[in-house]
Amino acid sequence: MAADERDRFLEDGCAALEWAADYLDRVGELPVLAQVEPGEIRARLPAAPPEQAESFSDVLRDLDEVLLPGITHWQHPRYFAYFAVSASRPGILAELLAAALNPVAILWRTSPASTELEGLVCDWGAQLLGLPAGWHGHIEDSASTSTLAALIAARHATGRELVVCSEHAHSSVEKGARMLGMELRKAPVDDEFRMRVDALDLTRAAVVVPTVGTTSTTSVDPVPAIADLCAQTGTWLHVDAAYAGTAMVCPEHRWAFAGVERADSLVVNAHKWMLTPMDCSLLWTSRPADFRAAFSLIPEYLRTPDAEDALSLSEYGPALGRRFRSLKLWAVLRCHGRAGLQRMVREHVRLAERFEGWVRDEPGWELCAPRPFSVVCFRREGSDAENEAILERVNASGDLFISHTRLRDRYVLRLAIGSERTTEDDVRRAWDAIRAAI
Ligand SMILES: Cc1ncc(COP(=O)(O)O)c(C=O)c1O
């Protein structure tokens, strides 16, 4: 690299890092939900690419002036919608370094370090979460892909075509089944939104997907009873703990994950509650040979000695080229440690418990589901339209962002705590704003 190119890189890099540091400092002052109309941002950008090179400072300026108003701030302390997440600083820096190295891990030999680090961080993750020793782990982009991969492995291993989940399973299970042309059956749930096993028939099932921490209410499906049925029927057990899995780092939350040790595969998203920037979905299996049998396809131009092939993580999932996602998770796990993750999970659960208490004690409001983790489902006693209007009002204020779901055919508000920046003051402020919006 010419000296002036290096100087420019350093100068631009410092500016970008400064931008990121300032952004994280002031994100709490910005409107959480982007206050723009569809098409507005695009209309403010040139329709055609530049003929001549522009400077990186132009890019940074437009990020500030044009794109930032169109950003919904997931790093905001009062982001409470869907599942709130955090990209912590060590993860952000590691993403920069991963892009600098830019290894393409198609085979072990094209990136031994990223391949081996991926195995290592999955082992570390398994230890932190108390999973059985010896499980094979790799990283996918999303829980949707992880579950799709599990369905593929299950179909290959069982020769069956039926996918079973509860009516509260995430839509990625249905989407995976649809993409694979597999049949889907949704089991009903009990009054706490947990999969009912009394009526569960797995005789023809390739795979059953219980969820620990369902998307709407974070309910916990009865994995031990489902695992018993799997053992009787030869059904693959894929556990979706995309959101809640991180809570296993705290021994007091392990009750919710009983039976997970009997899973054939398990997905936990580090990009949800494990302080890791998008994207980083951890997929473990106790049956790596079945994954490899389903996914291994080695054309001549990729052939290496067999012992080496078995180490290539492209042998265990859909993608050939794999990026260096393990670097950010490694940085996160090292810079926060077990203690840091436990502290965060415990604080989020404590804050959710506080919020739940305020709702419970307030006349005219009701709780709509049990709260195992850091998500509270609640509503104003009244019509769906009134609750929807509350949601629209608070979100339009820009002060906080919440989302909703539908439970027992009623519109229900959801407050999800998961940002490392959220304090008790933020949760209190959210509750004040919600009450003021009736
Ligand atoms: C329980 C559960 N599983 C899977 C997913 C899908 O995750 P991803 O966006 O990583 O595909 C979600 C998303 O919120 C989820 O809540």
Side-chain angles (χ1 to χ4, degrees):
M1 193 192 277
D4 62 337
E5 218 178 314
R6 184 179 187 280
D7 288 348
R8 203 174 328 121
F9 182 64
L10 268 176
E11 198 178 306
D12 290 340
C14 288
L17 201 53
E18 216 163 281
W19 190 97
D22 289 347
Y23 171 73
L24 294 177
D25 280 349
R26 72 191 173 101
V27 61
E29 294 152 26
L30 301 172
V32 195
L33 178 64
Q35 310 286 306
V36 289
E37 295 300 322
E40 196 178 319
I41 298 298
R42 183 153 180 179
R44 295 181 60 195
L45 291 164
E51 283 307 325
Q52 302 301 329
E54 296 179 298
S55 69
F56 190 79
S57 57
D58 291 338
V59 176
L60 217 45
R61 185 203 58 225
D62 286 351
L63 171 63
D64 243 339
E65 293 177 5
V66 184
L67 296 184
L68 205 60
I71 297 282
T72 289
H73 298 286
W74 287 70
Q75 298 273 52
H76 196 291
R78 286 182 302 285
Y79 183 104
F80 297 116
Y82 310 107
F83 284 120
V85 298
S86 302
S88 65
R89 288 178 175 85
I92 296 169
L93 293 176
E95 276 288 51
L96 171 73
L97 300 174
L101 290 160
N102 201 29
V104 185
I106 52 178
L107 304 169
W108 173 83
R109 68 170 52 182
T110 65
S111 193
S114 73
T115 303
E116 295 192 10
L117 189 67
E118 189 164 328
L120 180 90
V121 292
C122 289
D123 280 353
W124 279 15
Q127 290 175 48
L128 288 169
L129 303 187
L131 301 175
W135 277 12
H136 184 278
H138 77 270
I139 302 178
E140 294 288 352
D141 57 356
S142 62
S144 302
T145 305
S146 294
T147 291
L148 178 68
L151 301 193
I152 292 168
R155 175 160 75 172
H156 199 273
T158 62
R160 302 179 191 161
E161 296 288 342
L162 175 65
V163 179
V164 179
C165 62
S166 96
E167 56 194 353
H168 272 256
H170 187 261
S171 57
S172 54
V173 182
E174 180 165 356
K175 193 169 178 180
R178 196 206 297 172
M179 287 190 286
L180 295 170
M182 293 175 82
E183 186 190 336
L184 179 78
R185 192 190 300 149
K186 287 190 187 174
V189 294
D190 65 14
D191 54 9
E192 294 191 9
F193 309 104
R194 302 169 298 197
M195 190 191 294
R196 274 180 48 193
V197 281
D198 51 341
L200 200 59
D201 174 10
L202 297 181
T203 39
R204 281 195 310 109
V207 53
V208 60
V209 187
T211 310
V212 180
T214 57
T215 310
S216 281
T217 70
T218 74
S219 61
V220 175
D221 286 338
V223 179
I226 296 167
D228 286 346
L229 283 177
C230 286
Q232 287 160 23
T233 54
T235 305
W236 186 287
L237 176 62
H238 174 63
V239 177
D240 180 353
Y243 150 70
T246 300
M248 277 187 272
V249 76
C250 299
E252 68 272 26
H253 292 304
R254 296 254 172 99
W255 64 267
F257 300 88
V260 166
E261 73 284 355
R262 295 166 69 189
D264 296 296
S265 51
L266 164 71
V267 57
V268 175
N269 274 356
H271 67 236
K272 276 192 163 57
W273 207 4
M274 210 182 275
L275 294 168
T276 308
M278 273 292 281
D279 48 12
C280 191
S281 178
L282 306 177
L283 176 58
W284 286 279
T285 179
S286 54
R287 295 170 64 172
D290 285 315
F291 264 77
R292 193 165 177 231
F295 287 105
S296 179
L297 201 165
I298 306 176
E300 187 52 39
Y301 49 84
L302 294 178
R303 191 165 300 284
T304 56
D306 193 47
E308 222 180 273
D309 279 348
L311 297 172
S312 300
L313 294 174
S314 54
E315 291 282 280
Y316 298 88
L320 176 64
R322 321 182 71 259
R323 64 190 206 88
F324 200 173
R325 294 191 183 93
S326 55
L327 192 66
K328 60 186 168 187
L329 182 55
W330 191 49
V332 165
L333 296 182
R334 292 183 65 179
C335 298
H336 292 280
R338 185 193 297 270
L341 291 178
Q342 288 179 334
R343 223 178 2 257
M344 176 206 59
V345 167
R346 286 177 178 143
E347 176 62 0
H348 290 168
V349 172
R350 184 187 77 81
L351 293 177
E353 206 174 336
R354 293 285 285 161
F355 185 86
E356 183 185 43
W358 298 331
V359 176
R360 187 184 293 117
D361 294 344
E362 185 82 8
W365 293 84
E366 60 177 309
L367 295 165
C368 302
R371 181 207 45 79
F373 304 109
S374 67
V375 174
V376 182
C377 291
F378 64 106
R379 76 194 298 282
R380 173 87 184 153
E381 285 165 6
S383 69
D384 283 357
E386 283 168 63
N387 280 279
E388 197 170 347
I390 291 170
L391 177 129
E392 292 301 338
R393 252 177 246 132
V394 297
N395 288 348
S397 75
D399 198 43
L400 68 151
F401 181 27
I402 57 171
S403 59
H404 81 283
T405 188
R406 185 163 277 280
L407 299 175
R408 301 193 187 94
D409 209 24
R410 292 191 314 169
Y411 189 99
V412 167
L413 304 171
R414 259 175 104 265
L415 183 118
I417 296 173
S419 164
E420 64 173 343
R421 268 170 274 282
T422 300
T423 64
E424 186 162 334
D425 276 350
D426 292 307
V427 180
R428 166 57 78 180
R429 187 162 152 179
W431 180 224
D432 290 344
I434 292 166
R435 280 182 309 166
I438 56 176

